[in-house]
Amino acid sequence: MRIYLMVIIFFFSIIMKVEGEGLNQLDFKFYVIPTAGPEHVDFEIVIKNDEDIPLHFEFPTSQIMELTVLDSIGKEVYVYSKGRYFLQAFQTVTIEPHQTYKRIEKWDYLYKGKRVSQGEYTVKASLLPTSLNGEPVKDRSRLISIQKMIVPEENPVFRHIEKEGNKGSYMITGEARTGNGMFYYTVEDGHVEFMKEKQYVTEGESMSWVPFKIHIQIPQEKLPSHGSLILHLYERSKENKIIHTYPVILEEFE
């Protein structure tokens, strides 16, 4: 009898917790992680549920968040929702206890058809639920994440780089515009060099954009157990110094 009573009290306390806690009491984290690459930035949207109960975020449309990028003088150079259409129907995102919701959006650094200048930018991410676990959302201070990011200078030698493959076998395609008809590449993880420097001779005239394709093959047993496997494309100057480096993440290991 005492065991049944304890079970009833336990579940009753959970119900009271769900009904009684508002946005400020529920334990969750929302943030954005911008990762700026040579040709685009990845915005990783993260909602982490630190509660012992599921969290149900309800949205009035299929747009669950907004992303805005501001330049150094506060001018908007990117708005995620601009030019997009969203389903006009309620959507619910449920995150189970101690689980994390992740989503990645990309921006190609273009503003009015032109690439933005190199420099520091501010990223503002806003989560847009109207209710959380059935309670209206009034305080939105915890639903906003602001981060800084650096947009790199445009690479003059490599562009339109794409990567396919995994588990040690990768195909990289793109375009190169070299000064002497060749470039170089290596593969490493920040600690170990998995492929020593190799030379690639491009077809076509120097200083013209020409397509290229590289196949990278690394035995699976030699792959790192954690971290990132990175391909570096680059030129060498007349003084034999590495210039115009373009990093490509081949695979991430956890």
Side-chain angles (χ1 to χ4, degrees):
M1 182 66 181
R2 291 182 60 185
I3 294 177
Y4 288 132
L5 182 60
M6 290 176 65
V7 170
I8 292 173
I9 292 174
F10 174 74
F11 281 106
F12 181 73
S13 65
I14 291 180
I15 294 172
M16 291 297 292
K17 182 178 183 181
V18 174
E19 293 181 348
E21 288 190 343
L23 178 64
N24 291 330
Q25 286 72 44
L26 289 171
D27 193 4
F28 72 92
K29 296 179 180 66
F30 167 70
Y31 52 92
V32 60
I33 304 173
T35 303
E39 294 188 87
H40 68 266
V41 56
D42 287 342
F43 300 113
E44 185 175 17
I45 306 298
V46 181
I47 312 172
K48 185 179 180 183
N49 180 5
D50 292 322
E51 283 285 350
D52 296 325
I53 58 173
L55 296 182
H56 307 285
F57 293 85
E58 189 172 70
F59 304 86
T61 72
S62 60
Q63 181 186 8
I64 73 166
M65 58 84 196
E66 182 65 284
L67 278 169
T68 305
V69 179
L70 308 174
D71 66 11
S72 59
I73 61 174
K75 181 177 69 176
E76 290 184 350
V77 295
Y78 173 74
V79 179
Y80 167 76
S81 62
K82 190 173 182 179
R84 298 176 186 263
Y85 296 92
F86 300 97
L87 181 64
Q88 301 300 303
F90 279 95
Q91 312 285 316
T92 300
V93 173
T94 296
I95 307 174
E96 297 299 328
H98 305 288
Q99 297 299 309
T100 301
Y101 170 94
K102 293 183 179 181
R103 171 175 169 176
I104 293 180
E105 297 292 340
K106 299 178 183 292
W107 175 44
D108 58 7
Y109 302 136
L110 294 183
Y111 172 65
K112 294 185 177 180
K114 295 183 179 180
R115 181 177 169 122
V116 298
S117 302
Q118 174 189 12
E120 184 178 81
Y121 290 78
T122 300
V123 180
K124 179 181 178 182
S126 303
L127 198 62
L128 305 176
T130 53
S131 68
L132 174 56
N133 283 19
E135 294 292 325
V137 174
K138 296 179 181 179
D139 179 10
R140 295 193 170 273
S141 60
R142 296 177 60 203
L143 302 177
I144 296 174
S145 175
I146 298 176
Q147 302 290 340
K148 298 290 186 180
M149 74 171 188
I150 302 295
V151 172
E153 183 179 5
E154 186 172 12
N155 194 298
V157 176
F158 303 101
R159 72 177 186 182
H160 302 164
I161 306 301
E162 299 289 341
K163 184 273 302 182
E164 294 182 355
N166 56 26
K167 298 180 180 179
S169 181
Y170 314 97
M171 182 66 71
I172 297 86
T173 59
E175 294 182 355
R177 182 175 61 181
T178 63
N180 56 4
M182 67 181 67
F183 63 85
Y184 303 85
Y185 62 94
T186 61
V187 177
E188 52 87 26
D189 69 348
H191 305 282
V192 177
E193 188 177 57
F194 292 87
M195 181 174 287
K196 294 185 179 298
E197 181 180 271
K198 291 184 178 295
Q199 184 185 84
Y200 187 101
V201 178
T202 60
E203 298 180 0
E205 298 181 2
S206 297
M207 301 309 297
S208 297
W209 288 109
V210 294
F212 70 86
K213 181 185 294 185
I214 299 173
H215 182 226
I216 303 292
Q217 191 71 43
I218 298 174
Q220 289 193 35
E221 63 272 15
K222 293 186 177 181
L223 292 172
S225 58
H226 62 276
S228 299
L229 188 65
I230 304 172
L231 166 73
H232 293 282
L233 306 170
Y234 54 91
E235 277 191 304
R236 284 193 175 275
S237 68
K238 293 180 180 179
E239 296 77 24
N240 205 36
K241 293 182 179 180
I242 292 175
I243 57 174
H244 304 142
T245 299
Y246 190 117
V248 182
I249 296 179
L250 298 177
E251 192 167 359
E252 295 188 87
F253 303 89
E254 297 182 357

